[in-house]
């Protein structure tokens, strides 16, 4: 199995201290290069926003340091450059292949990778079948994982019990190079549970296994304790096979907002109090205007 990422780099490399006189104004800002900068401390970072704020030190000619705040931010894609991006010869290293889905490590040429230097390794998601897949096809990748026909070498943990077991794998959106955007999914072995709506107290042993064993497995493999994880289900889900998301607490993963995320610990407690909880209650969820389900609500005069 592949090795996990290295633990997060120690942030404070130097002891605190005044890095020298703060230089005023623009003249001093002229003519300096990135290699004049030494990182003192990461002030703030966001895996989601692809931005980092650094307390840096600018080394002058005489070797004395000047404090600096440096912001590194990855730039958005420029739509008009995307055709060029795809045309240029580029290293594409296959990372994962499952059903019609592949992920690659891409190394785009510098003029197309934009903005910041350094780690310009990005990935492309390819969905060969297009967005209008036949419904029957949509869960093939899930069954491939459960049956070890794909991604078998990526499995972090499995409880093989057919009714209370599950498989834990890195989500395809996570390249496992850094823990900041850690993202794994637990896919349950049972195939008849379509979503949160179907859950009753009967599923408590399964859900408790996912929560307990999932946390333990992630701590063991990646060194991230359960207290640093956000563990939740989506409603609506993007595929109708029960799955649970495990993401880094500091990472605002897409779909982790209150509108869509239901914490697994809350789901377990709610079901323990009332087996029919998720059959009874109203569930609010966001929809994009171009989704077919939105149209149905519109036709019914509900929005
Ligand atoms: C998907 C939801 C589905 C595009 C994208 C993602 N984790 C997956 C195939 C293999 C996987 C996932 C559909 C599809 Cl970006 C269209 O997700 C997957 N393998 N979420 C893993 N490990």
């Amino acid at each position: 199995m592949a090795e996990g990422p290295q633990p997060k780099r120690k942030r404070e490399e130097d002891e605190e201290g005044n890095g020298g006189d703060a230089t005023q104004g623009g003249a001093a800002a002229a003519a300096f290069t990135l290699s004049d900068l030494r990182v003192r401390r990461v002030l703030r970072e966001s895996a989601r926003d692809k931005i980092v704020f650094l307390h840096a030190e600018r080394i002058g000619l005489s070797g004395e340091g000047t404090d600096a705040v440096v912001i590194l931010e990855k730039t958005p894609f420029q739509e008009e450059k995307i055709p060029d991006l795809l045309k240029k010869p580029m290293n594409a290293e296959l990372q994962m292949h499952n059903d019609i889905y592949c992920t690659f490590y891409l190394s785009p040429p510098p003029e197309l990778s934009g903005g910041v230097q350094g780690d310009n390794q990005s990935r492309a998601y390819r969905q060969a079948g297009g967005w209008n897949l036949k419904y029957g096809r949509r869960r093939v990748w899930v069954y491939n994982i459960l049956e070890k026909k794909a991604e078998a070498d990526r499995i972090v943990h499995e409880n093989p019990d057919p009714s209370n077991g599950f498989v834990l794998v890195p989500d395809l959106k996570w390249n496992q190079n850094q823990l900041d955007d850690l993202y794994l999914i637990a896919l349950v072995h049972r195939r008849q549970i379509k979503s949160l709506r179907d859950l009753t107290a009967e599923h408590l042993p399964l859900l408790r296994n996912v929560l307990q064993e999932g946390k333990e497995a992630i701590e063991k493999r990646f060194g991230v304790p359960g207290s640093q994880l956000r563990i939740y289900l989506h409603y609506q889900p993007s595929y109708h096979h029960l799955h649970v998301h495990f993401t880094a607490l500091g990472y605002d993963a897409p779909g982790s907002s209150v509108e869509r995320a239901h914490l697994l610990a809350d789901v377990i407690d709610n079901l323990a109090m009332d087996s029919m909880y998720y059959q009874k209650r109203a569930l609010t969820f966001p929809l994009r205007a171009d989704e077919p389900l939105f149209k149905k609500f519109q036709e019914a005069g509900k929005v």
Side-chain angles (χ1 to χ4, degrees), residues 27-273:
F32 82 96
T33 56
L34 285 178
S35 51
D36 293 337
L37 293 170
R38 215 182 70 202
V39 178
R40 289 180 62 84
R41 198 158 75 91
V42 175
L43 299 169
R44 189 157 74 82
E45 65 176 325
S46 164
R48 174 82 192 265
D49 298 334
K50 316 247 172 347
I51 194 166
V52 65
F53 298 77
L54 304 170
H55 174 188
E57 193 175 17
R58 196 182 138 200
I59 311 300
L61 284 176
S62 49
E64 88 287 8
T66 307
D67 279 333
V69 173
V70 176
I71 304 170
L72 300 177
E73 181 174 8
K74 296 201 187 184
T75 56
F77 285 98
Q78 289 166 270
E79 233 175 276
E80 66 277 12
K81 283 194 181 170
I82 293 172
D84 283 353
L85 182 69
L86 299 175
K87 237 181 283 156
K88 290 264 166 140
M90 203 192 305
N91 261 358
E93 186 196 321
L94 183 68
Q95 188 195 16
M96 186 271 280
H97 181 195
N98 183 347
D99 189 36
I100 59 168
Y101 306 93
C102 308
T103 63
F104 298 93
Y105 284 112
L106 299 183
S107 313
E111 72 274 18
L112 292 169
S113 62
V116 181
Q117 296 180 336
D119 171 34
N120 65 357
Q121 201 170 56
S122 57
R123 287 173 316 142
Y125 308 120
R126 189 189 68 164
Q127 192 182 30
W131 294 103
N132 295 314
L133 290 174
K134 286 241 164 54
Y135 275 74
R137 181 91 198 212
R138 292 187 69 171
R139 275 167 282 132
V140 168
W141 69 269
V142 174
Y143 303 143
N144 282 348
I145 293 174
L146 294 174
E147 293 166 14
K148 320 285 168 12
K149 290 178 181 165
E151 305 189 44
D153 55 332
R154 289 159 47 90
I155 293 175
V156 170
H157 175 75
E158 176 173 18
N159 176 332
D161 189 274
S163 53
N164 296 324
F166 67 99
V167 168
L168 182 72
V169 284
D171 188 272
L172 98 169
K173 292 185 286 299
W174 184 41
N175 65 18
Q176 300 183 64
N177 285 344
Q178 60 291 310
L179 297 172
D180 309 68
D181 60 341
L182 174 140
Y183 199 145
L184 295 99
I185 45 171
L187 302 166
V188 304
H189 275 303
R190 281 171 73 155
R191 301 196 177 188
Q192 303 311 319
I193 316 170
K194 292 189 291 299
S195 78
L196 182 62
R197 269 281 185 236
D198 288 344
L199 293 175
T200 65
E202 183 217 337
H203 304 108
L204 281 170
L206 166 63
L207 298 173
R208 287 177 174 137
N209 285 348
V210 169
L211 184 61
Q212 188 59 34
E213 294 173 28
K215 280 198 278 199
E216 283 167 9
I218 289 174
E219 165 132 42
K220 192 165 170 221
R221 172 68 68 87
F222 301 107
V224 178
S227 62
Q228 297 301 306
L229 295 173
R230 184 178 286 115
I231 306 167
Y232 54 96
L233 291 79
H234 277 157
Y235 193 83
Q236 296 273 349
S238 51
Y239 45 98
H240 288 90
H241 177 103
L242 192 79
H243 59 284
V244 176
H245 304 258
F246 290 74
T247 62
L249 191 57
Y251 173 49
D252 300 321
S256 62
S257 68
V258 287
E259 290 89 354
R260 198 169 178 208
H262 295 256
L263 293 177
L264 178 58
D266 291 355
V267 171
I268 289 172
D269 265 8
N270 289 335
L271 290 171
M273 283 189 288

